[in-house]
């Protein structure tokens, strides 16, 4: 399967076979680490928006494969401050690196960067739009924890309107035979463009605002933060902050095998008292980011075919 020079912009660009190929490549790299696979290669890490996991796990992934990392996490220290455009910033980074990983607050910014760049662009999140590498690590985590992705009851909880991770994951799950439970306040429902896609692809799904009505059915509960930074009106955010909180009082309602995932950062959606229960999968999920991102870096630079 050919991934060399490919941009990773949206999970919509992936077929099921391509998704499974990335997961298989990650599994191979996890079982047989190769500390010199990216030797002599440079990754530019351009973060125009805050990040902990995506940036650090990409940088760690590249470093652990023997590659080098350049870039910025504070765009205010770059020539953007002097009025340089995104286009020109990318034209510079392509001179200096073999692959560019970027996060940007504007939807479509990664696609624009891919037009400017002669080296592969990997989208680390563009506005409320897409976060494809998070989706691949989410699928990897589900497959690893459950042994499969098909035939599961998967709940999405929280801010389904602005949460880009659930948008990308919903699209990816249209390739698999799982049932989705979309649990959110009415005002933060999954956008119609995504539920229409579920309808078109005949994916079984239920929309619900009361978590307790469906909690006992779930094999995986994917919790999300209410995305404060994307609300046009801060008063509107206040209405929904803290609307769903998972804690130990809910344990009797969980299936014993329920796994709780979260792209993180969490605010108050998951009480830390759940961290040491067998349900908590979110830290392992974040750790899987390294393996899956190693696979993507190696594939798009042609180091693995
Ligand atoms: N999951 C995720 O994207 O986390 P960061 O915002 O910290 O990168």
């Amino acid at each position: 399967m050919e991934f060399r020079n490919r941009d990773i912009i949206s999970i919509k660009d992936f077929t099921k076979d391509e998704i499974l190929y990335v997961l298989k490549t990650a599994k191979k790299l996890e079982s047989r680490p190769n500390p010199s696979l990216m030797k002599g290669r440079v990754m530019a890490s351009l973060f125009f928006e805050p990040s902990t996991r995506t940036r650090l796990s990409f940088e760690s992934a590249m470093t652990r494969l023997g590659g080098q990392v350049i870039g910025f996490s504070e765009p205010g220290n770059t020539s953007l401050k002097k009025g340089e455009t995104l286009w020109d910033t990318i034209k510079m980074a392509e001179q200096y690196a073999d692959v560019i990983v970027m996060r940007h607050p504007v939807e479509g910014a990664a696609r624009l960067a891919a037009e400017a760049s002669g080296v592969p662009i990997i989208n680390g999140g563009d506005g409320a739009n897409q976060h494809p590498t998070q989706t691949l690590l989410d699928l990897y985590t589900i497959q690893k924890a459950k042994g499969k992705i098909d035939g599961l009851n998967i709940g999405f909880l929280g801010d389904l309107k602005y949460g880009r991770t659930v948008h990308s994951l919903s699209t990816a799950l249209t390739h698999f035979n799982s049932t989705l439970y979309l649990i959110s306040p009415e005002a933060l429902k999954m956008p119609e463009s995504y539920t229409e896609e579920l309808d078109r692809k005949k994916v079984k799904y239920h929309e619900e605002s009361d978590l307790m009505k469906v909690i006992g059915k779930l094999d995986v509960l994917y919790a999300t933060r209410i995305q404060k930074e994307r609300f046009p009106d801060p008063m509107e955010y206040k209405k929904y902050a803290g609307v769903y909180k998972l804690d130990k009082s809910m344990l009797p309602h969980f299936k014993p095998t329920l796994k709780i995932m979260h792209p993180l950062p969490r605010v108050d959606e998951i009480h830390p008292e759940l961290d040491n229960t067998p349900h908590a999968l979110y830290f392992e999920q974040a750790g899987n980011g390294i393996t899956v991102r190693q696979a993507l870096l190696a594939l798009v630079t042609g180091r693995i075919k």
Side-chain angles (χ1 to χ4, degrees):
M1 197 164 287
E2 188 60 60
F3 271 91
R4 189 161 186 262
N5 285 334
R6 183 166 162 176
D7 303 303
I8 308 295
I9 305 299
S10 167
I11 203 69
K12 289 180 188 162
D13 303 334
F14 280 73
T15 64
K16 180 176 183 176
D17 283 349
E18 288 169 340
I19 290 173
L20 293 174
Y21 189 70
V22 173
L23 304 192
K24 194 169 118 189
T25 306
K27 195 171 171 189
K28 273 192 202 159
L29 274 174
E30 187 175 350
S31 61
R32 276 198 294 148
N34 183 341
S36 55
L37 189 63
M38 295 297 285
K39 195 160 187 281
R41 301 294 202 282
V42 176
M43 180 188 96
S45 166
L46 311 184
F47 278 70
F48 300 84
E49 202 185 48
S51 166
T52 297
R53 277 145 294 276
T54 308
R55 184 172 71 81
L56 293 182
S57 66
F58 260 115
E59 294 182 5
S60 176
M62 188 66 175
T63 308
R64 289 183 190 196
L65 291 176
Q68 305 283 313
V69 178
I70 58 170
F72 57 80
S73 57
E74 180 40 78
N77 292 338
T78 72
S79 287
L80 284 161
K81 202 74 180 160
K82 301 177 214 160
E84 188 158 49
T85 59
L86 173 65
W87 184 276
D88 282 1
T89 305
I90 296 296
K91 293 306 287 177
M92 294 307 98
E94 74 166 345
Q95 316 292 320
Y96 310 142
D98 303 290
V99 55
I100 298 171
V101 177
M102 65 175 278
R103 170 174 287 188
H104 199 282
V106 176
E107 293 186 22
R111 191 75 75 189
L112 177 77
E115 282 172 31
S117 177
V119 303
I121 295 284
I122 302 182
N123 181 9
D126 61 328
N129 189 29
Q130 284 275 320
H131 195 351
T133 69
Q134 176 74 43
T135 300
L136 291 163
L137 79 87
D138 291 341
L139 293 172
Y140 186 75
T141 302
I142 293 172
Q143 192 183 56
K144 203 171 152 185
K146 293 288 182 187
K148 60 181 183 179
I149 305 172
D150 287 301
L152 298 171
N153 287 336
I154 300 178
F156 290 173
L157 177 72
D159 184 351
L160 310 189
K161 180 176 178 182
Y162 295 117
R164 60 189 168 202
T165 60
V166 283
H167 297 165
S168 295
L169 188 54
S170 159
T171 296
L173 286 170
T174 62
H175 295 296
F176 299 90
N177 185 24
S178 279
T179 302
L180 303 188
Y181 291 82
L182 308 178
I183 311 151
S184 72
E186 181 66 25
L188 298 181
K189 277 171 70 170
M190 190 72 122
E192 265 178 29
S193 58
Y194 290 97
T195 50
E196 280 168 8
E197 182 183 38
L198 296 176
D199 288 330
R200 225 173 25 252
K201 306 250 178 92
K202 300 197 180 342
V203 177
K204 284 175 270 162
Y205 72 95
H206 309 273
E207 294 188 285
E208 180 55 70
S209 59
D210 184 352
L211 169 64
M212 298 319 288
K213 279 195 184 154
V214 296
I215 186 79
K217 298 180 201 284
L218 303 178
D219 301 300
V220 173
L221 176 56
Y222 193 101
T224 63
R225 175 176 65 87
I226 308 292
Q227 307 271 306
K228 183 178 182 182
E229 67 278 25
R230 309 218 188 275
F231 278 74
D233 176 359
M235 292 312 289
E236 196 64 10
Y237 164 73
K238 282 203 172 134
K239 267 199 236 168
Y240 301 106
V243 66
Y244 299 112
K245 291 183 179 175
L246 304 174
D247 58 33
K248 268 194 165 167
S249 70
M250 293 178 176
L251 284 174
H253 303 279
F254 293 170
K255 273 190 186 180
T257 52
L258 170 73
K259 294 295 181 192
I260 300 172
M261 296 174 65
H262 193 305
L264 303 176
R266 64 178 155 182
V267 180
D268 53 6
E269 308 81 51
I270 304 175
H271 196 288
E273 67 193 12
L274 289 178
D275 292 357
N276 291 323
T277 68
H279 302 291
L281 195 58
Y282 29 93
F283 294 131
E284 191 180 325
Q285 176 188 359
N288 290 334
I290 300 229
T291 317
V292 171
R293 287 168 175 142
Q294 282 183 332
L296 287 168
L297 289 167
L299 285 166
V300 300
T301 55
R303 297 298 294 144
I304 290 183
K305 292 205 169 53

